[in-house]
Amino acid sequence: AQTVTQSQPEMSVQEAETVTLSCTYDTSENNYYLFWYKQPPSRQMILVIRQEAYKQQNATENRFSVNFQKAAKSFSLKISDSQLGDTAMYFCAFPRTMYSGGGADGLTFGKGTHLIIQP
Amino acid sequence: DTEVTQTPKHLVMGMTNKKSLKCEQHMGHRAMYWYKQKAKKPPELMFVYSYEKLSINESVPSRFSPECPNSSLLNLHLHALQPEDSALYLCASSQVGTEFLEGNQPQHFGDGTRLSIL
């Protein structure tokens, strides 16, 4: 079974600073995907970024980038030039199985990191 | 804009009531999901539908009854709920994964229904 660990319950940084959220996971799969989701107070879970394990290049989406270390099973999220709107819960997520036989399966989420951007 | 629409946004019900939560998406996704999220916790999977068929039930009590009447709609029927069932219920949808790469499809979530059981 896949496990996902986020060791930072809460982080607080000043606006415009760079912040890194950590995530480690455990899996016996060789081919898989990893996701970061953001959940602001408005409640909607928003996909921030997706990483394919067999791609060595780290994924980037505007101010968001990941540092993916497959051997170390580490998947951290870096937010550059942080903005007030980045204040949210951030969840690292991993597919429960890569092949359930039914065509789809749910996500296993880490416990989350509450990120607060201070003005 | 939310591409997955959930109604109602808030629901308060007594333990003897029967109510339903609704979820709708028009992205052509053929996989749909129900998650339960307690305060300050991550979402927990309840049900998965793939091609309108229930493919995963995470040992959810029978007082929760899912239904997928067509590829765009997902319902969650509620009956005789307990106070501990109070939570945020999230619906999500995704493309169905290809063989051996099911887990690569990102899930798109709705805003959720905040359910309170009196």
Side-chain angles (χ1 to χ4, degrees), chain A residues 33-37 47 49-50 75 91-93 95 107, chain B residues 103-104 106:
Chain A
Y33 292 75
L34 291 156
F35 305 90
W36 276 99
Y37 280 88
L47 177 67
I49 202 162
R50 177 177 78 161
F75 180 57
F91 292 99
C92 179
L107 295 168
Chain B
N104 66 335

Side-chain angles (χ1 to χ4, degrees), chain A residues 31-35 37 39 41-47 50 52 54 89 91 94-112 114, chain B residues 2-3 9-10 31 33 35 37 40-43 45 48 50 55-56 58 88 90 95-97 99-114:
Chain A
N31 224 9
Y32 50 87
Y33 292 75
L34 291 156
F35 305 90
Y37 280 88
Q39 188 176 37
S42 63
R43 311 183 322 205
Q44 187 192 5
M45 295 281 281
I46 301 166
L47 177 67
R50 177 177 78 161
E52 302 173 55
Y54 59 84
M89 283 291 293
F91 292 99
F94 192 97
R96 292 189 338 144
T97 59
M98 290 306 296
Y99 185 63
S100 70
D105 199 349
L107 295 168
T108 295
F109 291 89
K111 291 185 176 181
H114 184 207
Chain B
T2 305
E3 296 171 319
K9 292 195 182 305
H10 302 274
Y33 313 79
Y35 289 86
Q37 186 178 23
K40 300 188 186 300
K41 298 287 187 183
L45 184 70
V48 180
S50 179
S55 59
I56 296 175
E58 282 295 291
L88 180 67
L90 292 166
Q95 298 283 1
V96 174
E99 188 176 1
F100 301 117
L101 280 176
E102 285 182 8
N104 66 335
Q105 301 301 327
Q107 297 182 13
H108 299 256
F109 287 81
D111 289 343
T113 294
R114 178 81 63 193

Side-chain angles (χ1 to χ4, degrees), chain B residues 57-99:
Chain B
N57 176 344
E58 282 295 291
S59 302
V60 179
S62 60
R63 57 186 184 268
F64 294 91
S65 175
E67 178 196 22
C68 190
N70 60 56
S71 59
S72 301
L73 278 174
L74 185 66
N75 298 320
L76 186 62
H77 302 298
L78 315 173
H79 174 54
L81 294 193
Q82 303 297 309
E84 61 266 27
D85 297 323
S86 297
L88 180 67
Y89 288 84
L90 292 166
C91 173
S93 70
S94 75
Q95 298 283 1
V96 174
T98 56
E99 188 176 1

Side-chain angles (χ1 to χ4, degrees), chain A residues 6-7 10 12 16 20 22 30 34 39 51-52 55 58-59 61-62 66 70 72 75 81 83 92 97 103 114 116-117:
Chain A
Q6 292 179 252
S7 58
E10 186 169 292
S12 180
T20 299
S22 66
N30 187 48
L34 291 156
Q39 188 176 37
Q51 174 74 43
E52 302 173 55
K55 285 193 175 180
N58 289 326
E61 287 287 342
N62 301 314
V66 299
K70 188 176 181 181
F75 180 57
D81 186 26
Q83 301 174 359
C92 179
T97 59
H114 184 207
I116 300 168
I117 308 299

Side-chain angles (χ1 to χ4, degrees), chain A residues 5-10 22-24 112-113:
Chain A
T5 302
Q6 292 179 252
S7 58
Q8 304 150 310
E10 186 169 292
S22 66
C23 172
T24 58
T113 296

